[in-house]
Amino acid sequence: MKKVLFMVLAGVLAGMTFVPAIADDDEKRFEFDGMVRARYEYLNNYLDLTDNQGSGDLNDDSYSNAPYRVMIGMTGYFAKNVTGHVDLQYIGNFGDQLNPSWDNPLYETFPPPVGSGDAAYQYATQGVQLYTGWLEVAKIGGSDFGVRLGRQEDTYGTELFMGDNDYYSGLSFDGVRGMWQHGHNDLNLFYYKAAEANFIFAIPGGGGGANDSDVFGATYDFKFDTMGTVGGYLLFGQDMIGFGPIGNSDSSIMTYGARWNRPMMEGDKLNMFDWNIEAAGQNGDAGDPSFPNPSVDLAGWIFEGWFAFNFKAGDTHGRVHIGTLMTSGDKASTVDKSEDFITYYGDFHAYNRFGDLDWVDLFGQHNITDYNIGYEHWFGEQHYVMFAYHMFSATEQDPLATSDKLGDEIDLTYGYQYSKNLAFQFTAGQANPGEGAEFFYGVPNGDGDPVQRITAQAKLSW
C-alpha cells in the first residue's frame, strides 16, 4: 500500500514539473480573484409605518439580520484571444443554517437546494452556486468582433436596465453575447435565457413546450474623448410562462432608449462637471390567450437625469449633485391598457437611485418620481462621506388618495478604505412617509412613523 501511495505521489510531482512547461509553450495562465462580504442590517417600520413600544409587541416589524456573500473566481487565458472565467459563490445570513444544528431534520426544505444533500438549509441559504461560467473568443479572425458564451454578468451604462445587483446577491445571465469594439464604437448583441421552463411545464396533451422566458436586444455606445458617452438600445422581453420581466404568461415587451453620460473620472482626470441623461419608452402586451383575456397593452416610460459639480481642495475632492428619476404609472382609466413602467434587470441601488434606504421602491419601480440632491467628499484615498436628500411622489396619483406625496428620505454614508483589499462602510437612512404612502399602507394621514435602516459592512476583495 505504501509503495502504491509513493508511486502516485511521484507521478503527481512529475506532472507538476511537466504541466507548467506545456502551459508556457501554449501561453496559458490562470488568475484568481474573490470576495468576502458581511453586513449587519437593522430595519424598522418597512411593513407597517407604525412604531411599537417594544420588541415583544405583536405587530412589531423591526428586525435585524447579517447577510453575507462569499465568492471565488478563476480566469484562464488560453490560446490567443481565448479566455474562460468561473465564479462560485455562497450567499446567506448569519444563523440561517441554525448553527450548530445543521442536520436538524425539522428545518429541512423540500426540495432541498441542488447539491445540498441532506443538509438543513433554510430558504435564505441558496447553497454553493455557479454564479458565472463563460468562454470568450475575442478578435475573431483578426477582426474587432468577439463572442462570450455561458453564464455571465452584463452591465450596461449606469445599470438602469442591465445591472449586476452587486450590493446584494449579484445578477448573472445565461446566454450568448456578441461584441464589436472599434475605435470609439461599442456594439453589443445579446440573447439570454431568463427561464427554461419547457420541460417543467410541458403537460402532456396541453400547452406544448413554448414556456420559456427570454431577454434579448442590442446596445450601442460612442465614447467621446472628453464629453462622455452617447448611446442607444433596444431591449426585448418575451415572457411565456411568467418568469420574465413582465411576470405574466404569454407576454412581450420592447424598450427603446437613449442616454448621454459623462463620468466623474476620465481615467486619472477629475472632470469639473459630470452628468447623465437617459430616457426610454416601452410598448408590448400581456396575456391573451392566457390570463388576462383579452390582453393588456403595455406602454411605460422612464427618465433619469443628474448634473454634478466636482472640485479639489488639496488632497480632498468634493462633489455636489442634483437629479431626478421618474417612472410612469398607470392612470387606471382602462382595463385593457397599463402604463406602468416595467423594469428589466437594473440595479436600483446603484448611483443612489431612490436612495440607499430601498424603501420607496419596495413594491417595484413603477409610478415613482424622485427629486434628489446630495454631497460627497473624499478625504485622500481612505475616507469618504455622503449626504443625500430625496423627495418622492407618485407620478400618477391614485384617484382614491388625498395626495401624491410618498415622503422624503435622508441618507448618510461613511466609507473607510483600510487597505487596498479591505473596506468598511456604514450607512444610516430615514424616510418620513407622506400622505400617499400612508394611504397605500392603510395608515391615517399624519400617523405614519419614520422608516429606518442602519448598516455596517466589511468587504475583503482580492
Side-chain angles (χ1 to χ4, degrees):
M1 183 66 180
K2 291 183 179 180
K3 183 177 180 180
V4 174
L5 293 176
F6 177 78
M7 294 296 294
V8 172
L9 178 60
V12 171
L13 293 175
M16 291 176 64
T17 62
F18 179 67
V19 171
I22 297 178
D24 290 339
D25 291 341
D26 291 345
E27 299 181 352
K28 297 177 183 177
R29 72 180 192 276
F30 296 90
E31 295 179 356
F32 295 88
D33 60 88
M35 176 186 71
V36 178
R37 183 186 67 202
R39 182 168 61 242
Y40 168 81
E41 299 205 13
Y42 170 80
L43 303 97
N44 185 38
N45 291 336
Y46 262 61
L47 304 178
D48 61 9
L49 305 186
T50 302
D51 281 333
N52 304 106
Q53 297 299 318
S55 60
D57 288 356
L58 183 62
N59 62 335
D60 178 31
D61 70 339
S62 65
Y63 66 95
S64 62
N65 68 325
Y68 61 88
R69 185 184 186 194
V70 180
M71 296 182 65
I72 185 167
M74 180 179 69
T75 304
Y77 300 90
F78 303 97
K80 188 176 182 180
N81 298 321
V82 177
T83 308
H85 182 81
V86 173
D87 279 311
L88 299 179
Q89 80 166 3
Y90 190 99
I91 57 174
N93 291 276
F94 282 24
D96 61 11
Q97 293 176 319
L98 297 176
N99 188 11
S101 301
W102 288 13
D103 297 322
N104 187 338
L106 297 178
Y107 296 96
E108 173 71 51
T109 60
F110 182 82
V114 176
S116 72
D118 59 358
Y121 289 87
Q122 287 189 334
Y123 75 96
T125 302
Q126 304 301 313
V128 176
Q129 302 171 322
L130 177 67
Y131 178 62
T132 65
W134 50 260
L135 165 69
E136 180 177 318
V137 181
K139 302 290 184 181
I140 298 176
S143 69
D144 293 319
F145 290 93
V147 175
R148 179 176 293 183
L149 175 66
R151 177 165 294 186
Q152 56 193 284
E153 290 184 333
D154 190 353
T155 60
Y156 174 68
T158 62
E159 304 184 34
L160 188 63
F161 283 98
M162 303 290 287
D164 58 8
N165 199 30
D166 178 67
Y167 194 72
Y168 297 105
S169 58
L171 181 61
S172 56
F173 303 89
D174 294 329
V176 59
R177 175 159 44 127
M179 301 161 283
W180 177 69
Q181 296 176 330
H182 178 78
H184 295 267
N185 302 280
D186 186 356
L187 173 66
N188 285 259
L189 305 172
F190 64 88
Y191 177 88
Y192 298 129
K193 183 70 64 175
E196 173 57 71
N198 284 340
F199 174 76
I200 299 175
F201 292 95
I203 302 173
N211 294 308
D212 288 351
S213 294
D214 308 309
V215 179
F216 52 95
T219 65
Y220 170 76
D221 287 336
F222 183 88
K223 188 178 186 305
F224 295 96
D225 291 329
T226 60
M227 297 301 289
T229 299
V230 173
Y233 46 88
L234 281 174
L235 308 174
F236 299 89
Q238 188 172 22
D239 209 350
M240 299 308 295
I241 200 63
F243 293 134
I246 302 171
N248 194 71
S249 59
D250 194 27
S251 305
S252 62
I253 189 169
M254 177 181 70
T255 299
Y256 44 91
R259 71 186 191 98
W260 182 18
N261 172 243
R262 190 191 194 204
M264 182 179 71
M265 302 293 298
E266 295 279 2
D268 295 332
K269 177 188 174 184
L270 175 67
N271 289 322
M272 180 176 291
F273 301 105
D274 69 82
W275 61 77
N276 183 68
I277 303 173
E278 184 165 355
Q282 299 179 323
N283 59 62
D285 64 86
D288 188 17
S290 293
F291 178 83
N293 192 322
S295 64
V296 176
D297 291 333
L298 306 176
W301 55 265
I302 188 171
F303 171 81
E304 181 175 37
W306 73 70
F307 184 82
F309 167 69
N310 301 280
F311 65 92
K312 277 192 172 183
D315 63 348
T316 71
H317 160 216
R319 178 178 182 267
V320 182
H321 85 267
I322 184 171
T324 185
L325 176 58
M326 303 177 180
T327 64
S328 62
D330 191 15
K331 297 178 180 178
S333 57
T334 60
V335 296
D336 59 352
K337 183 175 182 180
S338 173
E339 297 182 357
D340 277 335
F341 168 73
I342 294 177
T343 184
Y344 281 65
Y345 303 97
D347 190 343
F348 280 85
H349 199 278
Y351 295 90
N352 201 230
R353 289 191 175 106
F354 294 139
D356 287 333
L357 199 62
D358 286 0
W359 167 70
V360 72
D361 62 325
L362 187 62
F363 300 99
Q365 291 83 36
H366 60 271
N367 199 27
I368 302 174
T369 295
D370 171 24
Y371 295 104
N372 57 81
I373 59 173
Y375 179 75
E376 301 167 271
H377 204 97
W378 290 260
F379 298 89
E381 297 181 355
Q382 285 191 298
H383 302 278
Y384 164 80
V385 294
M386 185 277 293
F387 164 82
Y389 173 77
H390 296 259
M391 184 170 60
F392 303 108
S393 62
T395 308
E396 295 289 342
Q397 181 176 331
D398 190 306
L400 300 179
T402 59
S403 173
D404 64 351
K405 305 301 182 185
L406 300 180
D408 57 12
E409 177 180 324
I410 296 176
D411 295 312
L412 301 172
T413 298
Y414 168 69
Y416 175 52
Q417 192 71 37
Y418 178 82
S419 66
K420 179 181 178 182
N421 303 99
L422 179 60
F424 298 92
Q425 184 188 74
F426 306 90
T427 71
Q430 175 168 300
N432 302 297
E435 291 184 13
E438 292 171 334
F439 170 81
F440 180 83
Y441 277 81
V443 176
N445 289 347
D447 289 346
D449 290 313
V451 178
Q452 293 100 12
R453 181 183 189 182
I454 299 173
T455 73
Q457 173 178 290
K459 180 179 179 181
L460 177 67
S461 56
W462 64 91

